[in-house]
Amino acid sequence: MKKEDCIFCKIANGEIPSRTLYEDDQFRVILDLGPATKGHALILPKEHAADIFEISEETASGVLVLAKRMAVKMTQKLHCDGMNLVQNNGEAAGQTVPHFHLHMIPRYHNDGQKINWIPGECTQEELEAVKREITG
Ligand code: 5GP
Ligand code: ZN
């Protein structure tokens, strides 16, 4: 997809209005239009990159520093009880907008939301084989 057609490029760069919680030269933090919980926010880099594979290391490190600051502020203001950071890469992983974004999802006791996976099972041998596959 061309970045001229990218909705998050337009939002991040202010061509399409959004509920902005924070903005600087590199990032815009907005409220998600379909919030999983109250305060669900997205950190968008202003420079287009589809996913974790395309963002620069500089952007990658900036995202987590900003997420930390936003998590503190959002928790102070919203009095949430926890926070999920979620970041999807690729259709198979549930990514629907191909412009890198980090979800910040405040969590509240008994909020009824579910953001977890089904735990699997595997043997020590299987773990060892996967470790070798990745590190070998
Ligand atoms: P993904 O599934 O790609 O990880 O997440 C995309 C997120 O973007 C979804 O949570 C969806 O609600 C949100 N979203 C999609 N279009 C818009 C939009 O135009 N504005 C805002 N604020 N959020 C959007
Ligand atoms: Zn984009």
Side-chain angles (χ1 to χ4, degrees):
M1 189 190 61
K2 286 188 295 177
K3 59 184 177 182
E4 299 82 67
D5 302 326
C6 174
I7 182 143
F8 279 5
C9 273
K10 292 189 174 127
I11 292 173
N13 292 291
E15 289 165 49
I16 294 178
S18 60
R19 301 250 186 253
T20 296
L21 305 179
Y22 173 84
E23 183 188 3
D24 62 24
D25 289 352
Q26 270 188 294
F27 300 104
R28 184 186 293 269
V29 184
I30 63 168
L31 285 180
D32 195 296
L33 273 186
T37 63
K38 180 181 154 191
H40 181 169
L42 302 171
I43 298 183
L44 311 180
K46 290 189 173 177
E47 192 167 280
H48 180 82
D51 52 28
I52 189 90
F53 305 106
E54 287 192 5
I55 57 169
S56 66
E57 291 194 354
E58 188 197 346
T59 301
S61 55
V63 164
L64 205 54
V65 172
L66 179 53
K68 192 252 167 335
R69 292 184 188 146
M70 290 303 303
V72 170
K73 172 150 195 193
M74 289 161 70
T75 300
Q76 280 170 352
K77 299 285 188 176
L78 295 170
H79 307 292
C80 50
D81 303 305
M83 176 90 58
N84 289 114
L85 300 187
V86 179
Q87 201 276 305
N88 300 324
N89 298 284
E91 212 179 311
Q95 185 176 15
T96 57
V97 181
H99 176 123
F100 179 96
H101 49 282
L102 179 67
H103 294 262
M104 300 193 65
I105 307 176
R107 298 303 303 274
Y108 307 87
H109 291 307
N110 307 314
D111 63 20
Q113 191 50 264
K114 215 169 165 0
I115 301 171
N116 299 317
W117 54 87
I118 304 160
E121 281 178 23
C122 76
T123 63
Q124 288 298 325
E125 290 71 28
E126 286 167 332
L127 286 177
E128 181 60 22
V130 175
K131 189 202 90 174
R132 284 175 191 275
E133 193 173 342
I134 295 168
T135 61

